[in-house]
Amino acid sequence: WAGAGAGAAASSSRTCPVESDLDDSDTSEPGIEPADRAPVRSSDSSGGSAEDGDDDDDDDDASFLWSWATHVDASHHDFSPSDADDIRAALLEWYDSKRRKLPWRGDPPPYDGSTAGTAVNASNGGKKKGGAKARAAAEGADGDDEDGKKRQRTMGDFFSSASKSKSKSKSKKRPKAVRPKRNRGAKVEPPGADAASDEAAEELSCRGGANNASEEDGEGRAEAKREVTAYGVWVSEIMLQQTRVEAVIPYYLKWMERFPTVQALAEADEEDVNAHWAGLGFYRRARLLHTGAKMVCTAYSGIVPSTVDELMKVNGIGRYTASAVASIAFDRSVPVVDGNVCRVLSRLTGIANHIKSAALKDGEPGWELAGQIVKAGDGKRAGDVNQAMMELGATYCAPTGTGTDERDPLREYYASTRIGRAVRRATRRGSSTSSTKGTTSIGEYISNAAAVRRGGRSGRSAPGGA
DNA sequence: ATCCAGGTTA
DNA sequence: TAACCTGGAT
């Protein structure tokens, strides 16, 4: 097991903030999976490398679980240098061969943001594909026929209707004229850009965007790769903050077509910017991106900053986006932590705090752990390592996944899986716990782990608890 | 029908 | 820490 005792990294005692607040509250733990849902029998190809230990593993299980359940020092979760290097290598290998082809990565046209077959839509029998989603996004943006009643009110709809009804309170300031009382089902009151309505609808009709991006060079098959610019990475990261990859693709293509450079965006007027954002949601970010572009043009002479610190001074760029742009566009060896990375780290380390907890995301542990992987080995290709982690967390290591997908390049490194198996083995002989539906609360795991340890020593286990 | 993810800002 | 929006999962 790769993630075994690890530890190792010389570090002053960093108290681990994770387990301290575990208690028994949460019920859905992205980091810990029982790993016993799959038909343990024979489903694995390549004759059982799993080596279903027998009795010898019991001691290992007990000590492993106990140290995991009772540790207080954050260094408990550190990756050993060799593990970090292995993980990084596995990520890069997977990224090079299996990553999705996306425009902001410089890939040529046939784009596939689909997550079909991954843990994302494991429950759906492949009914929906990414292409359908992307198409839906495009259609939703340009739909200006059908005055159906239930039709979702998109920005595109607004523009169409606004051109007819000639909006009365044209406030050309912000994308949201009315503040709805409640979020759910609230109608969107988009920007007052009535002038650009028809044009906007036309722009957003991304048809032909994904398939024929006019990359027909005389060469024939060797399509020219798209140019990867810092600005392009910036735009993509902002869009990806709020929307899934497959939905972003058509918007990104149209955006880059209309605003190819920071200067182009900075010089654009607000209605044009809003129109191209219509349908993506979180419209405030379009405004921030716009003002950010202006800021770059004025304060940075039109050149996107290359360091995290400088990037974070730009409007709309926080720590995540700054790190993403610095690593992807400028090859800075800095980690990136978003919700997807948190999930991967959670499974890797067995840190099972709820994803919403600040322990991994906002706290240092997540960034520290991600940094250990990104900076492992020669520390190069940080952007690819980061993208691999994020993509993995969005596909095979998605929230609904079990962390046991065979195609998951880090599958064998997940401490969560080891924990799950160890707990299962340990509790199998004793009276089974109440959870039979697959998800087990972290508190339950801890009490089970403690029970294992107690059982190993005194023989008295009281599974109740939790 | 309800809930939730997702990063930044005020 | 809430607010911002939408699509997808439950």
Side-chain angles (χ1 to χ4, degrees):
Chain A
W1 281 100
S11 60
S12 57
S13 64
R14 297 136 43 199
T15 60
C16 183
V18 178
E19 264 72 13
S20 59
D21 59 355
L22 282 176
D23 295 339
D24 51 15
S25 49
D26 292 344
T27 56
S28 65
E29 308 305 329
I32 300 296
E33 294 295 340
D36 62 335
R37 316 233 256 164
V40 229
R41 199 55 93 179
S42 79
S43 70
D44 266 337
S45 60
S46 77
S49 62
E51 65 179 311
D52 293 327
D54 301 317
D55 305 332
D56 293 343
D57 286 342
D58 288 352
D59 289 341
D60 287 343
D61 283 351
S63 63
F64 172 77
L65 288 175
W66 181 248
S67 65
W68 173 81
T70 60
H71 76 278
V72 291
D73 194 306
S75 67
H76 174 84
H77 299 293
D78 286 343
F79 301 107
S80 71
S82 68
D83 277 352
D85 201 16
D86 291 347
I87 290 169
R88 173 176 169 277
L91 284 169
L92 285 175
E93 182 187 2
W94 175 76
Y95 185 79
D96 287 337
S97 58
K98 302 291 179 56
R99 69 180 166 80
R100 294 176 285 186
K101 301 297 187 291
L102 302 170
W104 47 87
R105 292 172 174 173
D107 293 321
Y111 303 122
D112 182 20
S114 143
T115 55
T118 69
V120 172
N121 30 12
S123 57
N124 279 345
K127 201 80 179 223
K128 315 178 167 193
K129 303 188 79 84
K133 248 160 63 174
R135 238 174 290 122
E139 289 172 7
D142 76 343
D144 57 345
D145 34 22
E146 302 196 28
D147 291 349
K149 52 278 191 121
K150 195 228 158 249
R151 183 169 41 116
Q152 206 162 15
R153 189 164 178 80
T154 65
M155 295 282 282
D157 294 335
F158 174 82
F159 291 134
S160 321
S161 60
S163 63
K164 295 171 187 166
S165 66
K166 200 58 180 171
S167 68
K168 52 276 183 187
S169 70
K170 65 145 77 65
S171 64
K172 63 164 55 173
K173 28 199 313 272
R174 34 189 53 204
K176 127 184 87 59
V178 175
R179 179 192 304 274
K181 213 56 169 289
R182 55 194 74 76
N183 293 337
R184 301 286 173 269
K187 288 175 169 26
V188 177
E189 287 297 339
D194 47 350
S197 59
D198 292 339
E199 187 181 0
E202 183 61 24
E203 298 299 335
L204 289 169
S205 69
C206 307
R207 61 178 57 95
N211 286 332
N212 49 359
S214 70
E215 294 285 353
E216 285 296 287
D217 284 345
E219 310 305 351
R221 171 162 26 303
E223 318 86 347
K225 303 173 87 168
R226 292 181 63 98
E227 189 184 4
V228 177
T229 65
Y231 164 73
V233 173
W234 176 15
V235 170
S236 72
E237 289 302 331
I238 298 294
M239 287 183 173
L240 288 168
Q241 284 172 11
Q242 46 200 323
T243 313
R244 310 293 173 259
V245 165
E246 50 270 41
V248 161
I249 292 174
Y251 286 89
Y252 177 83
L253 292 172
K254 273 298 173 185
W255 184 280
M256 294 303 287
E257 189 178 322
R258 184 61 84 199
F259 316 113
T261 63
V262 212
Q263 289 79 11
L265 177 57
E267 292 166 4
D269 40 47
E270 195 173 334
E271 292 105 51
D272 207 4
V273 171
N274 288 339
H276 281 74
W277 197 268
L280 278 176
F282 284 86
Y283 303 102
R284 183 170 61 118
R285 295 178 192 233
R287 201 172 67 242
L288 289 169
L289 180 56
H290 193 197
T291 58
K294 290 176 180 172
M295 178 185 303
V296 166
C297 283
T298 59
Y300 293 91
S301 61
I303 297 174
V304 179
S306 63
T307 67
V308 173
D309 287 343
E310 291 300 310
L311 281 162
M312 287 219 286
K313 295 176 183 173
V314 179
N315 292 53
I317 296 186
R319 189 177 183 183
Y320 161 81
T321 308
S323 303
V325 173
S327 65
I328 296 171
F330 297 105
D331 204 31
R332 302 272 173 173
S333 189
V334 294
V336 169
V337 175
D338 70 348
N340 294 318
V341 173
C342 282
R343 186 159 40 250
V344 175
L345 291 173
S346 177
R347 288 205 165 108
L348 280 173
T349 61
I351 294 176
N353 230 17
H354 194 282
I355 216 75
K356 286 197 293 282
S357 170
L360 267 179
K361 194 167 97 167
D362 299 330
E364 276 311 300
W367 292 88
E368 165 65 26
L369 290 167
Q372 289 174 12
I373 293 175
V374 166
K375 293 173 181 172
D378 58 10
K380 294 182 192 283
R381 298 189 62 190
D384 291 342
V385 175
N386 287 330
Q387 290 189 84
M389 285 244 272
M390 291 188 281
E391 180 151 329
L392 180 59
T395 55
Y396 300 128
C397 195
T400 56
T402 60
T404 58
D405 193 298
E406 297 158 3
R407 295 161 297 182
D408 188 329
L410 299 187
R411 175 173 49 97
E412 58 183 318
Y413 298 97
Y414 290 148
S416 64
T417 303
R418 185 184 179 195
I419 293 169
R421 286 181 179 157
V423 169
R424 172 144 182 92
R425 275 197 297 263
T427 57
R428 175 169 300 186
R429 55 177 182 292
S431 62
S432 63
T433 59
S434 60
S435 76
T436 57
K437 66 181 190 331
T439 51
T440 304
S441 76
I442 187 61
E444 205 169 344
Y445 273 114
I446 286 186
S447 66
N448 285 342
V452 169
R453 191 259 188 178
R454 267 184 260 120
R457 296 181 71 93
S458 66
R460 184 71 180 188
S461 65

